[in-house]
Amino acid sequence: MTWNIPNILTLLRLLAAPGVVVMFLYFTRPWADWFALVLFVTAAATDWFDGYLARTWKQESKFGAMLDPIADKAMVVIALLVITGFSGMNPWILLPATVIIFREVFVSGLREFLGDTAGTLKVTQLAKWKTTAQMIAIAVLFSNGAFEHYIGMETFGMDPALIEAIIDGHEEDTLGLGWKVAGWNASWFGGILLLWVAALLTLITGGDYLRKAMPHLREEA
């Protein structure tokens, strides 16, 4: 085990994964959403930074190569569980989240079964794009939760007709509801679109890994 800066960053990213859940246990929303967003984005940034430093400083190690995909998967899976739970099991989130989690478990199982021959399942460029799409989608959906709660708090007990009039511009918008609703809509539709793109890339890369693993799965005659 080599303790250098790239490996320490990877380990911190792994520890940040359950930290997302802690944000919602110890803080009220929308603060929990913002704190989870900042933690998640900061941790996701280290995914690129630790790899860059390891290559630049020639500090690539087996420990880092082993821990890096585990940290990525832990971040994505735990964050998706949190978002799915707080979305009320919305099918637009639940379905792609299920595809993503299933694929991660399936590919991890393939790698474990293949053992020494798991090198045939090296991370591809498309798989890296898949991970990037997942992390951006999750970050956007965390911001959506924050917008939703700001709107909910500021319109609590308000006449629905007045809310509609403010959003339509017929009444003065002293609370800034207009830009908050616009932010909520943009983060919702943008996050959902990115999540489904990530799920599609997840299926494609999962199928590619299965294809590469098939020669090693066939029974010998």
Side-chain angles (χ1 to χ4, degrees), residues 21-177:
V21 177
V22 173
M23 296 299 103
F24 288 91
L25 293 177
Y26 289 95
F27 298 99
T28 57
R29 303 181 74 186
W31 290 110
D33 297 88
W34 286 121
F35 291 154
L37 172 62
V38 171
L39 178 62
F40 185 86
V41 170
T42 302
T46 67
D47 186 29
W48 174 85
F49 200 55
D50 59 19
Y52 173 78
L53 291 179
R55 291 187 297 272
T56 302
W57 294 348
K58 300 187 185 304
Q59 293 183 344
E60 295 172 297
S61 64
K62 291 183 178 179
F63 177 70
M66 176 275 297
L67 196 62
D68 186 72
I70 295 175
D72 290 344
K73 288 176 173 56
M75 282 184 59
V76 168
V77 170
I78 292 175
L80 284 176
L81 289 175
V82 171
I83 290 172
T84 302
F86 281 111
S87 72
M89 306 298 281
N90 188 302
W92 286 102
I93 293 177
L94 180 60
L95 290 176
T98 300
V99 170
I100 291 171
I101 294 173
F102 176 82
R103 181 269 191 193
E104 300 298 0
V105 173
F106 180 75
V107 172
S108 296
L110 270 181
R111 285 199 171 100
E112 182 178 353
F113 176 79
L114 292 176
D116 293 338
T117 58
T120 57
L121 303 184
K122 291 181 179 179
V123 177
T124 63
Q125 187 60 45
L126 187 61
K128 293 179 181 179
W129 281 108
K130 175 266 301 179
T131 301
T132 300
Q134 288 175 352
M135 291 185 173
I136 295 176
I138 289 169
V140 172
L141 288 173
F142 272 136
S143 70
N144 176 260
F147 279 118
E148 180 181 8
H149 273 74
Y150 276 126
I151 295 169
M153 289 187 303
E154 293 178 354
T155 60
F156 182 76
M158 188 180 294
D159 182 13
L162 177 59
I163 297 173
E164 185 175 351
I166 292 174
I167 295 173
D168 290 341
H170 301 309
E171 294 286 345
E172 184 180 2
D173 186 7
T174 58
L175 299 175
L177 286 181

